[in-house]
Amino acid sequence: MANTQLKSVATLLLLLNFCMYVIVLGIGGWAVNRAIDHGFEIGPGLELPAHFSPIHFPMGNAATGFFVTFALIAGVVGAASAISGVNHVRSWTTDSLPAAATAATIAWTLTLLAMGFACKEIELHIRNARLRTMEAFLIILSATQLIYIAAIHSVGSRR
């Protein structure tokens, strides 16, 4: 009975995390596109400006480039871990646990890294609504991904 309930919790968290990671990827993609479109212009002599930075973002603050870069990496790995998690939730055996748990743990650590940059960006204040949304999603994902990892590890303790 408890094993079935934990499987339901894991499935719900898996779907929630996948949707949130896809939203993070969408907002991060928008931010990168805007940075490319409105970043530094290279002059006719193809010389870079004096203070050129490949992770300069015209919106936000000094932490935005790092935040968006690591949020995109966490989003891709998180979405991939959710796909791996579907296989585990379908079979729900100890044989499928290592792959799902490893992918989820890597996604969680990258999400924590992106969340750290989100906290730094919050501290520096200047950012727009989309970046605030991405910050909130990453902070929520850092908790829900950890709960998902705990839920899928329950299969080993119940068998």
Side-chain angles (χ1 to χ4, degrees):
M1 173 89 170
N3 199 11
T4 308
Q5 290 175 344
L6 287 172
K7 184 177 178 181
S8 299
V9 168
T11 304
L12 176 68
L13 286 170
L14 182 68
L15 293 173
L16 174 69
N17 288 351
F18 180 75
C19 292
M20 290 179 71
Y21 277 123
V22 168
I23 292 170
V24 165
L25 285 172
I27 297 171
W30 164 83
V32 169
N33 185 47
R34 183 164 164 102
I36 290 170
D37 288 344
H38 301 292
F40 287 111
E41 299 289 329
I42 298 176
L46 297 177
E47 295 180 21
L48 294 174
H51 300 288
F52 176 75
S53 171
I55 57 171
H56 168 74
F57 283 75
M59 71 295 216
N61 52 46
T64 302
F66 297 104
F67 168 61
V68 171
T69 302
F70 284 102
L72 283 170
I73 294 169
V76 169
V77 175
S81 77
I83 293 169
S84 172
V86 167
N87 182 43
H88 174 61
V89 168
R90 274 187 346 173
S91 63
W92 200 250
T93 64
T94 54
D95 294 335
S96 62
L97 177 64
T102 301
T105 303
I106 292 169
W108 178 63
T109 56
L110 289 170
T111 302
L112 286 178
L113 182 61
M115 186 197 71
F117 285 115
C119 293
K120 183 62 178 179
E121 189 173 39
I122 291 168
E123 180 185 325
L124 296 176
H125 296 294
I126 304 169
R127 60 203 196 279
N128 65 19
R130 290 181 183 157
L131 293 175
R132 282 191 293 257
T133 302
M134 196 161 66
E135 292 162 2
F137 272 58
L138 282 167
I139 291 168
I140 293 167
L141 274 166
S142 66
T144 58
Q145 187 74 9
L146 180 63
I147 296 168
Y148 167 72
I149 291 169
I152 64 172
H153 273 87
S154 68
V155 71
S157 63
R158 299 284 181 201
R159 287 210 170 247

